[in-house]
Amino acid sequence: MALPDPVRRRLGSFSRTVFSDSNRTGPERRGSGGSLDNEIVSSVPLQMSLYFNLYFFPFWWVSSVVMLQLKYPVLPDYYKFILVTVIVLASLIEAIRLYLGYMGNLQEKVPELAGFWLLSLLLQLPIILFLLFNEGLKIQPLERAVHIIFALFLTFQVIAAFLALKRMVNQLAVRFSLNEFDQLDDHPTSDYLACEKKRVQAPWRVGQNFEEPPPSNIDWESALRA
């Protein structure tokens, strides 16, 4: 199961805007005997955290449901509704989040990993902090313990995913720049000068402001789909 193309394009554009390194001035040279395509940018700490999170989540879910059943009669009606809704939402978000995290990190897919990062930072972490610090929910010791562990998982994954996304986006930018340089190397200088001369002498451009065509995102989108 893959993300829809519109979602992938929006997440890819968001990743290039947020995680690209603005201090990079140009493509780095390939190392001796090395290849940019063979460089692995997946995060091992993030993958280990996802692996343990996958086994911890069922324990968190069972603990939350059991504690909810025990304290349900003494909760106010509005807290009953809020707590049931929050546990259902957290369960659905966690299933999607772990899937995107595995796909994005192992297969080095920027849109999936960006979706994982956004779900972790904007949805799952606030939900867990709400369950952890809202004393009106009559938090039990077991609940507090599992919520603290879950919050630590999420905090670490947000930081690790951010660093992994920066590496992936910068690698895509370098790969895109190197492809452009390779295309320039394939064209002889004489052909390039002749093409420039035709552009300058084109009659339909005389007296008009010259506008460069917008940069193509084809290479970026193909790299994101890879």
Side-chain angles (χ1 to χ4, degrees):
M1 184 179 65
L3 290 175
D5 287 340
V7 178
R8 289 180 61 85
R9 285 195 295 268
R10 289 182 179 274
L11 288 175
S13 176
F14 168 80
S15 301
R16 293 196 300 271
T17 303
V18 175
F19 301 107
S20 60
D21 189 359
S22 59
N23 296 325
R24 186 182 297 275
T25 57
E28 300 176 354
R29 294 183 179 271
R30 293 181 178 91
S32 57
S35 174
L36 186 66
D37 294 334
N38 295 330
E39 182 182 357
I40 298 176
V41 293
S42 297
S43 173
V44 176
L46 176 60
Q47 192 59 38
M48 293 176 62
S49 174
L50 290 172
Y51 175 81
F52 291 115
N53 194 165
L54 182 63
Y55 287 97
F56 170 76
F57 176 68
F59 176 74
W60 174 89
W61 189 86
V62 171
S63 301
S64 300
V65 171
V66 170
M67 292 295 102
L68 174 62
Q69 184 179 6
L70 292 177
K71 65 184 182 181
Y72 192 83
V74 298
L75 286 174
D77 291 337
Y78 58 92
Y79 270 127
K80 292 178 181 178
F81 173 77
I82 291 175
L83 195 54
V84 171
T85 304
V86 164
I87 291 179
V88 172
L89 285 177
S91 302
L92 294 176
I93 293 172
E94 187 66 10
I96 300 173
R97 193 182 71 90
L98 291 176
Y99 170 78
L100 293 177
Y102 266 83
M103 289 287 293
N105 190 49
L106 288 180
Q107 300 184 15
E108 298 181 6
K109 293 185 176 182
V110 172
E112 279 78 0
L113 193 58
F116 164 82
W117 185 77
L118 289 173
L119 286 178
S120 302
L121 180 64
L122 301 181
L123 292 180
Q124 197 72 318
L125 186 58
I127 287 176
I128 298 303
L129 293 179
F130 170 79
L131 294 175
L132 180 60
F133 293 111
N134 193 331
E135 296 297 336
L137 298 175
K138 303 185 183 301
I139 304 172
Q140 302 302 308
L142 177 60
E143 284 182 300
R144 193 178 301 276
V146 294
H147 293 337
I148 289 175
I149 296 175
F150 205 166
L152 292 177
F153 269 120
L154 290 169
T155 303
F156 177 81
Q157 288 167 7
V158 166
I159 298 173
F162 178 83
L163 298 177
L165 277 167
K166 284 186 69 69
R167 289 196 302 270
M168 289 184 187
V169 171
N170 290 332
Q171 186 199 47
L172 288 176
V174 172
R175 190 178 299 170
F176 176 76
S177 300
L178 289 176
N179 288 336
E180 288 187 336
F181 279 108
D182 291 340
Q183 291 175 2
L184 289 177
D185 292 339
D186 292 339
H187 295 286
T189 307
S190 59
D191 294 344
Y192 175 76
L193 293 177
C195 181
E196 288 294 319
K197 185 177 180 181
K198 290 180 180 179
R199 289 172 56 189
V200 173
Q201 296 178 351
W204 56 276
R205 293 185 183 272
V206 176
Q208 300 180 4
N209 293 329
F210 178 75
E211 297 182 357
E212 291 288 342
S216 174
N217 291 329
I218 296 177
D219 290 338
W220 269 100
E221 293 181 0
S222 61
L224 291 175
R225 293 193 187 99

